[in-house]
Amino acid sequence: MNRSNQPSSPAMRAGVIVTRPPPGLAPTMAAVAERGFHPIAAPMLHVSQHALSIGTFRPDAIVLTSGQAVGSLTDPGLHHIPCYVVGAATARRARAVGFAHVIAASGTADDLTGLLRAAMQPTARLLLAVGRGYGQDMATDLRGRGYRVLRRCVYAVRPATCLPPDALAALRAGQVAAVMFYSTRTAEAFVAALPPALVPALVGVEAIAMSDGVAAVLGAGLRWGGIRIATRPEQERMLACLPGGGD
C-alpha cells in the first residue's frame, strides 16, 4: 500500500469518515464505533422531504428504491399496502414507520425489479416513491411490461459543497483510516468538495465503496491507499471492508 509523505502509525489512523446522509448516518456511525474506530460525520448530501400526493390512485404495492423515501410515507392509510424495497436497511425504516408487509430485495434496483416481476401480476398498480431525478428507468421498464406505475418524487438531494471541519482536520493530521461511500452521488460530492491541498493525504486512506460504480468515481483522478468494494451492497459488507475487517 502506498503511504503519504507524512505517514501515521496504525494507532493514529483510527478515524473513519462516513459520507452518507441522515437517517442512515447515525446507525453507521454507531456501527463504526462498535468496531473500535473513531467515526467522523461528513454527510455529502442534503436531503429535503416532499409531501406525497397520489390523488385517486390506489396502488396494489408501494415500491421504494431508497430509505430516504420513507420519511414521506407516514400516512397510516398506506401502511396496509405491500411495500417492496431495495434492501434490508430500507425495509427496517419502512417497518419502523408502520408498514406491516415489507418485502426486501437484495440491494440493487435490478434485484428490486426482478422481485416485483416475480411477485406482482403485470396489470398491478405500483406507486414508485423516489427522489427527484431517480427512478425514471425503472418506471419505464415496468410500464413496458404492462404495470401501471405512478412515479412520485418524495425527496430531493443536493450535494454538500465542503467537507466538515472535523473531517478536514483529521485528513490533515493523518488520522483517517478509511472513508465510507454508499452511493455514486456521495462519492461525486466528496471528490468535488475535497480541497486540492488534501488530495495527497488520501494515499494513506482506504476508500470503502458499496459498488463497482461508486469505486469508479473514486478511482478517477485520486490516488488512495486502496479502494475496497463490498461483496454485496449491504452495510455489514461495507463494515467488513474496514481495515482489519477481514473482507
Side-chain angles (χ1 to χ4, degrees), residues 48 50 130-136 151-157 185:
S48 57
H50 295 173
V130 296
R132 182 180 296 162
Y134 292 93
Q136 293 101 325
R151 175 178 166 270
R152 284 292 181 264
C153 297
V154 296
Y155 67 93
V157 176
R185 292 192 72 170

Side-chain angles (χ1 to χ4, degrees), residues 93-106:
R93 294 181 198 173
R95 293 186 184 106
V97 300
F99 280 97
H101 186 40
V102 180
I103 307 95
S106 53

